[in-house]
C-alpha cells in the first residue's frame, strides 16, 4: 500500500524558513517523480514543484521559484521541500504526492498534508 | 498558464440524483491530459479519473469522465452518500500543471 507521510509544518514568521519532509513507502521510490501541491484555506489546489526520480530534473511554479527547493533522498525514501523567504501567501496545507508516469504525469497518490502558517 | 474553470461552484443534490460537473480549460489540452480528484473535509484528494475518461483503480463505475480539448465533464450517475465532497480537475497537458478551484457537491 502506498503511503506518503508529511511532516515539518508549523508556524513561521514572514521571511523565515521551514523544511517539509515526506516519508514514502509501498512503492519503489526512486522510480517515480514526486511533487508538492498546496492548498490555502478555502482555495483550490496549487501545484508548487516537482522532481524526477533521479533528481536530475526539477520544476517550480513561478510563485516559488528562487525561494523553494525540492530535493529527495532515494536511500531514505524521503522527499523534501526547503522553503525560504516565506510570505503570508505561502500559508497553506502542503501535500506530498506521487506521479503516475503513463500517458502524461498525473498524481495517483497524495499524503495527508502538513499545515504551514506564516504569521508574525 | 492554463486556467481551469470549474462550474458550478456548488451543486446541491440528493442521493440517487445525477451530478454533472464541468471543467473548462483556457487553452486546449491537445492530449486530453485531464484528471479528476475527490476530496472530503480533512482528507487528501483521491484520484478518480485520468486521461479525461479513464477510471482509476477501485473507482466505481457510477463515475465517468468525458470531453476533449477545452471542455470536460465528470458525471456521477447516481449519487451515493459517500459521494458528497469537493471535486477538483487537474490538467497535466500544458506546463505548468494547474488545478481548478473545485466544485462542492452537497446535500
Amino acid at each position: 500500500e502506498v503511503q506518503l507521510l508529511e511532516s515539518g509544518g508549523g508556524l513561521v514568521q514572514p521571511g523565515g524558513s521551514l523544511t517539509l519532509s515526506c516519508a514514502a513507502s509501498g512503492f519503489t521510490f526512486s522510480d517515480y517523480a514526486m511533487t508538492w501541491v498546496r492548498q490555502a484555506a478555502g482555495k483550490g489546489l496549487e501545484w508548487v514543484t516537482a522532481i524526477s526520480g533521479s533528481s536530475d530534473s526539477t520544476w517550480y511554479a513561478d510563485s516559488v521559484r528562487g525561494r523553494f527547493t525540492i530535493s529527495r533522498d532515494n536511500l531514505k525514501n524521503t522527499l523534501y521541500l526547503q522553503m525560504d523567504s516565506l510570505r503570508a501567501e505561502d500559508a497553506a496545507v502542503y501535500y506530498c504526492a506521487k506521479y503516475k508516469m503513463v500517458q502524461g504525469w498525473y498524481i495517483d497518490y497524495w499524503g495527508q498534508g502538513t499545515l504551514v502558517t506564516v504569521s508574525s | 498558464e492554463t486556467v481551469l474553470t470549474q462550474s458550478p461552484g456548488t451543486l446541491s443534490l440528493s442521493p440517487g440524483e445525477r451530478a454533472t460537473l464541468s471543467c473548462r480549460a483556457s487553452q486546449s489540452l491537445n492530449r486530453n491530459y485531464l484528471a479528476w480528484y475527490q476530496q472530503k473535509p480533512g482528507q487528501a484528494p483521491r484520484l478518480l479519473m485520468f486521461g479525461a475518461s479513464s477510471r482509476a483503480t477501485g473507482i466505481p463505475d457510477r463515475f465517468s469522465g468525458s470531453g476533449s480539448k477545452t471542455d470536460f465533464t465528470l458525471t456521477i450517475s447516481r449519487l451515493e452518500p459517500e459521494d458528497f465532497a469537493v471535486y477538483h480537475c487537474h490538467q497535466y497537458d500544458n506546463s505548468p500543471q494547474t488545478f481548478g478551484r473545485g466544485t462542492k457537491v452537497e446535500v
Side-chain angles (χ1 to χ4, degrees):
Chain A
E1 178 190 5
V2 171
Q3 292 193 344
L4 300 169
L5 184 61
E6 302 96 335
S7 61
L11 173 64
V12 61
Q13 292 185 340
S17 297
L18 206 59
T19 299
L20 307 182
S21 300
C22 171
S25 61
F27 63 103
T28 303
F29 184 65
S30 58
D31 284 350
Y32 293 92
M34 299 290 293
T35 184
W36 290 95
V37 176
R38 67 186 180 185
Q39 186 173 32
K43 305 288 188 180
L45 298 164
E46 180 188 12
W47 175 81
V48 175
T49 179
I51 187 169
S52 63
S54 60
S55 301
D56 56 358
S57 296
T58 57
W59 301 268
Y60 294 92
D62 288 345
S63 57
V64 306
R65 186 175 290 112
R67 300 186 299 119
F68 289 14
T69 303
I70 190 172
S71 62
R72 63 192 297 160
D73 184 333
N74 287 345
L75 294 179
K76 294 183 178 179
N77 289 349
T78 303
L79 178 72
Y80 302 99
L81 182 64
Q82 171 70 38
M83 303 185 293
D84 298 318
S85 303
L86 281 160
R87 306 167 179 167
E89 56 264 36
D90 295 318
V93 174
Y94 283 74
Y95 294 102
C96 159
K98 169 187 169 291
Y99 280 118
K100 178 83 170 183
M101 299 175 290
V102 174
Q103 295 184 334
W105 289 20
Y106 59 90
I107 294 169
D108 60 348
Y109 289 98
W110 301 68
Q112 289 298 308
T114 187
L115 178 63
V116 173
T117 303
V118 183
S119 175
S120 54
Chain B
E1 70 177 36
T2 302
V3 176
L4 297 180
T5 301
Q6 290 190 243
S7 61
T10 302
L11 197 52
S12 298
L13 295 168
S14 300
E17 291 192 297
R18 181 184 188 89
T20 303
L21 288 65
S22 172
C23 177
R24 289 191 168 176
S26 64
Q27 301 171 39
S28 179
L29 309 186
N30 292 325
R31 294 168 289 186
N32 295 328
Y33 284 173
L34 186 106
W36 290 92
Y37 302 91
Q38 177 193 69
Q39 186 177 28
K40 297 179 180 179
Q43 295 186 18
R46 176 176 73 141
L47 175 67
L48 297 176
M49 312 291 301
F50 61 93
S53 60
S54 297
R55 264 189 303 277
T57 302
I59 301 303
D61 61 7
R62 65 180 180 273
F63 290 91
S64 63
S66 62
S68 64
K69 305 302 184 186
T70 61
D71 289 293
F72 299 88
T73 300
L74 175 70
T75 302
I76 310 170
S77 59
R78 288 177 55 86
L79 283 164
E80 297 288 341
E82 62 267 28
D83 299 336
F84 292 91
V86 176
Y87 293 83
H88 305 275
C89 58
H90 166 217
Q91 71 81 17
Y92 51 102
D93 208 308
N94 303 325
S95 181
Q97 301 184 10
T98 51
F99 293 84
R101 296 202 63 174
T103 290
K104 182 179 183 180
V105 178
E106 65 176 22
V107 179

